Amino acid sequence: MRQKSFRLAALLLLITPAALLGFQPLFDTWISYDAGYTPTAVHVADFNRDGYPDLAVTHEYGNTASILMNNGDGTFAAKVEYETGLNPRSVFAEDLDGDLDKDLIVGNFASDSISVLMNNGDGTFASKVNYKVGGGAISVFAADFDKDRDQDLAIANYGGRGGVSVLTNNGNGTFTSKTDYDTGSSARSVFASDLDGDTDIDLAVVKVADTSVSILKNNGDGTFAVNGNYETGLYPTAVFSSDIDGDGDQDLATANEGTRNVSVLKNNGDGTFSTKVDYETGEHPRSVFISDIDNDGNEDVVVENSYDDNVSILKNNGDGIFPTKVDYGTGNNPYGLFVADLDVNGYPDIVTANVNGNSVSVLKNNGDGTFYPKLNYEGGVGTNSLTVSDLDGDGDEDLAVTNAGVSVLKNNGDGTFNPKSDYTAGSWPTSVFAADLDGDSDRDLAVANSNSNTISILKNNGDGTFAAKIDYVTGRAPRSLFARDLDGDGDRDLATANYYNHDVSVLKNDGTGAFTLTASYSMFGYPRSVLLADLDGDGYQDLAVAKDSTNAISVLKNNGDGTFAAKVDYVTGFIPYKVFAADLDGDGDQDLVVTNVRYNSNNLSILKNNGDGTFAPKIDYGITALSIFAADLDGDGDQDLALTHESNTITTMTNNGDGAFTLPSYYSYGTGNGPVWVIASDLDGDGDNDLATANVSSGTVSVLKNLSNAAYSKGDMNGDGNLTATDIILLVNCVFLASGTCALSFADVNCSGSLTAADVVNELNRVFSGRPFPCS
C-alpha cells in the first residue's frame, strides 16, 4: 500500500494548470484563442521545454508578438505579448544562441527590419534587438547556411527592389549586417532547404510581381547565386519545400492567391524543377504547409483560404498527385498557417492566425487526417434568430429560424437535421418563439416582423408542418418577442420589444391562439431585447428589456393580472444588445445577463437578483458579445454561459458555482459568419446541452455538439479510447479537486456509486499492471 500511496502523491504533483482551472465543456468544432489584434503569422515550438508545442503569433497592427503556452493537452493558456518592430508580418522560432531553447525572429514589414527576441530559458523573452534588412520584410527563415553549426537568417523583402537579405550568425545569436540578393521585385515568401542534394541549404523565393519562384543555390559558404526561375500561379504568396513524391529530393509547393490554387513543382533531382501542376484551393490562399496529415507515409498539402475562412487539405496519392481536397472552417480571414502535433498524440494538428478574427484557430486531428468540423445547415438569406423545440412530437428537438420568412429544420434524432422547410412570415422577421399558443398540445410559432410592425402566428398542424400565418399589429419595428402566461389564465401571451416605438407591447391570448394588443409600456429608449421571467418570486411573469440608447435594462413587475408596474432601470454596459435570465448563483431566484456590443465598453454585465426582483449593481466581464444563452454546459448542475462574437466564434464561460465565471481564455469555437443568436439544448439526446447559432452573414445555422457525454468507457477520462497516465491525472482531479469531466458512468471505476481514492488505485492498477476493473 505504501507504494500505491507514493504513486498517488507523485501524480498529484503532475496535475496540470489547465486541470486546476476546472472543466470546460468541449464542442466538436475548431477551437479559437485570443491572439491579440490582427494576427498575421503563427509558428509552433516548445518554448518552455516541457515537451509540448507552444504558439508564437505576430500582430500586424499591434506591433507585438504573442506567446500562448500549451497546457499539456493541446489547449493553450492566455497570450503574453512582447514588443516587436512596426507591422510584423512573419515569425520563426529557432535556437539562435546555442542554449537549446527556441528564440524568436520577427519580420517587421513597416520598419524594414527584423526583431530578435532571445528566450530566457523558461518561455519568456528578452526585449527585442532589431537588425536592418531590405524594404518590407515579410517572410523570415532560419537555417545554417555557412555550415558553422549556428542558425543564420534569410528574409524575403516585399518592398523596393525586393529580393532576399541574409544575415550570418556570429555564433551567439547576434548577427552581421545583411547581404542582399536580387531576385526581382516583390519577394513574398522564402523557404530554406537542400534543393540540389549537395548537403548545403539553398533558398526558394516566390515573387508576386512576376508570378514565379526563384532558386538561390548555396555556393557552399553561405553565399548564394540565383539559379533558375520557375512559373507558378498568379500572385504567389507562400512557398514550402518537402519530398512530395517520395523520390528523396525536395519538391516545392506554392500558394497562389490570384489563381486560387496551389502549384506543385517536382524536383528533377538536381535542384531544377519540372513544369508546375496546379490544384484548386479556395478563395485567396495565402499560406501553404506540407505534412503527412493522415500518417500514411505521404506528404499532404495544407493551404489556408483567407476569403473562405477555411483550410483546404489536399491528400497525396503517394506519387505526389493530389486528386481531391477537403475543407475545414477556421476563424475570420486566416492569414498564417502552421501544422504540428499540438496534443502530442502522434497526429499533426493545424493552427491558423486569423487577421480579422483577432484569434488563432486550432483544428485537432482525429487521428486519420480528418478534423472536427462544425455542422452547418442552410438557414436562408439573413438568418438572424432561432429557437429549439420538439415541433413534430417525435421526442427530439427541432430548429426554427428566421430569414426572409421562417424555416423549420427537423431533427433526425441524432442531432443532425433535414433540409429546411420554408414558411412565409411578415417583412424582415427578427425573432421567433415556439410555444403551444392554441392549447392543442403541439408547438406553434410566433415571429416578430420588424419592417411590417407585426407578429405572425403560424399554427402547427400537429406534425411539424405549419398553417399559413395570421398577423397581428404591434408597435413599430418589433425586434424581439417572448411568450409566457402573463395573466394567469393558462394560455401563452406575448410581449414584443418595439425598437422605433420605444416601447414594449403586450398581446393577450384569447385561449385559441388569437391575440389582441392590450397595452404598451414606454421604455424611453430603443428596446432591442425582451424576456419574461418570474423575477420577484411571486408566481407571475415579469418583464426585462434591454435598451441600447440608455445603457440600461428596464424591469417591469407584473401586477398579477398581466399589467405591469412602472419600469425600474438598472445600469449596464454601453449599448446593451441581449438580455437573458437564469439562476446563476444557485439561490433560487433569476439573475440577469446582458451583452453590450459597443467596442469601447467591451463587457458582459451580470446583475444579481436581491431575491425580490430588484438587482445589485452590475458585475462586468471583459468580453464583447452579440448573443447569450445560459445553460448547464459541463454537467455540474450550475448555469454556464454561451456567447457569440463578430469574429464568427462562440465562447463558453464556465460558472464557478457561485455565479462568478471563468473568463474564456481557453475555449472558443467556430460558427458560420455573423452569429447573432445562440441557443442551448440537448439536440442529439445524449444528456448534455449542445449549441446552435443563427449566422446572419452566411445564412446558415451552426450546430456544435457537446462532447461532455461522448462515448467514454470506464476510466477513459479524456475519451480518446486509450487508458494512459493522462487518464489517471484527470481522475485524480475529479476525486480530490472535484475538477474535470467526472460523470460516474466512466469515473467510478469500481462501481461504488461515488468517487473515492479507491477509484484512483484501480485506475493505477489498470494502467500500469493491466489488472481489470472490478466492474465494467
Side-chain angles (χ1 to χ4, degrees), residues 27 104 123 157 166 219 222 248 251 269 271 288 315 334 347 350 366 386 462 488 528 553 562 588 617 625 694 704 738:
F27 295 88
L104 286 180
N157 304 306
V166 173
N219 296 319
D251 310 299
V288 64
K315 294 284 185 76
Y347 305 105
I350 297 174
N366 292 325
L386 83 163
R528 187 188 292 273
I553 58 169
L704 292 78

Side-chain angles (χ1 to χ4, degrees), residues 523-524 545 547 550 552-556 567-571:
M523 293 294 108
F524 299 106
V545 186
K547 308 175 300 183
T550 57
I553 58 169
S554 294
V555 173
L556 294 80
K567 69 183 178 67
V568 178
D569 286 346
Y570 296 90
V571 174

Side-chain angles (χ1 to χ4, degrees), residues 423-658:
Y423 298 90
T424 301
S427 176
W428 193 23
T430 54
S431 182
V432 59
F433 201 98
D436 180 10
L437 300 176
D438 54 8
D440 63 356
S441 299
D442 53 33
R443 299 301 179 96
D444 310 301
L445 297 178
V447 181
N449 308 304
S450 184
N451 280 5
S452 55
N453 306 326
T454 60
I455 58 167
S456 296
I457 303 299
L458 290 81
K459 292 191 178 179
N460 196 324
N461 295 321
D463 58 358
T465 65
F466 293 84
K469 70 182 176 75
I470 301 172
D471 289 341
Y472 299 90
V473 173
T474 66
R476 289 180 59 208
R479 294 285 176 86
S480 172
L481 89 166
F482 214 96
R484 285 287 188 270
D485 181 8
L486 298 179
D487 51 11
D489 62 357
D491 54 36
R492 298 295 187 101
D493 309 301
L494 299 175
T496 65
N498 308 311
Y499 192 79
Y500 289 125
N501 230 50
H502 311 293
D503 64 12
V504 169
S505 294
V506 172
L507 293 88
K508 294 284 187 73
N509 192 333
D510 67 358
T512 68
F515 292 86
T516 302
L517 176 58
T518 59
S520 295
Y521 297 88
S522 178
M523 293 294 108
F524 299 106
Y526 291 85
R528 187 188 292 273
S529 175
V530 62
L531 70 84
L532 295 167
D534 182 7
L535 300 177
D536 54 7
D538 64 355
Y540 299 105
Q541 300 292 308
D542 308 303
L543 280 171
V545 186
K547 308 175 300 183
D548 73 4
S549 60
T550 57
N551 307 329
I553 58 169
S554 294
V555 173
L556 294 80
K557 292 190 180 179
N558 195 324
N559 295 319
D561 57 0
T563 65
F564 293 86
K567 69 183 178 67
V568 178
D569 286 346
Y570 296 90
V571 174
T572 64
F574 199 36
I575 308 188
Y577 191 77
K578 287 284 194 307
V579 59
F580 198 93
D583 182 7
L584 300 177
D585 50 10
D587 62 356
D589 52 39
Q590 298 289 300
D591 309 301
L592 297 177
V593 191
V594 184
T595 62
N596 308 295
V597 297
R598 186 63 175 261
Y599 286 115
N600 59 7
S601 167
N602 195 39
N603 61 32
L604 172 82
S605 298
I606 292 179
L607 293 84
K608 295 279 188 75
N609 198 325
N610 295 320
D612 58 358
T614 64
F615 293 85
K618 66 186 174 78
I619 301 169
D620 288 338
Y621 291 85
I623 182 170
T624 299
L626 295 173
S627 180
I628 189 165
F629 201 94
D632 182 8
L633 300 177
D634 54 9
D636 63 354
D638 52 35
Q639 299 289 296
D640 309 301
L641 301 179
L643 315 168
T644 64
H645 311 286
E646 287 188 340
S647 57
N648 304 332
T649 56
I650 187 168
T651 297
T652 59
M653 292 176 68
T654 303
N655 196 326
N656 296 330
D658 57 359

Side-chain angles (χ1 to χ4, degrees), residues 44 141 147 373 496 574 767:
V44 177
F141 206 102
K147 294 187 177 181
T496 65
F574 199 36
V767 171

Side-chain angles (χ1 to χ4, degrees), residues 14-89:
L14 292 173
I15 296 171
T16 64
L20 292 172
L21 290 169
F23 172 70
Q24 287 270 9
L26 290 174
F27 295 88
D28 63 344
T29 181
W30 51 267
I31 305 174
S32 181
Y33 300 88
D34 174 22
Y37 189 46
T38 57
T40 51
V42 60
H43 198 101
V44 177
D46 181 7
F47 293 119
N48 58 357
R49 291 197 281 182
D50 64 352
Y52 298 99
D54 311 302
L55 304 181
V57 186
T58 55
H59 312 129
E60 182 176 7
Y61 295 118
N63 303 329
T64 57
S66 292
I67 302 297
L68 291 80
M69 288 296 185
N70 197 321
N71 294 318
D73 57 359
T75 66
F76 293 86
K79 63 185 170 66
V80 178
E81 292 191 346
Y82 297 89
E83 183 182 356
T84 66
L86 298 179
N87 198 201
R89 293 282 192 92

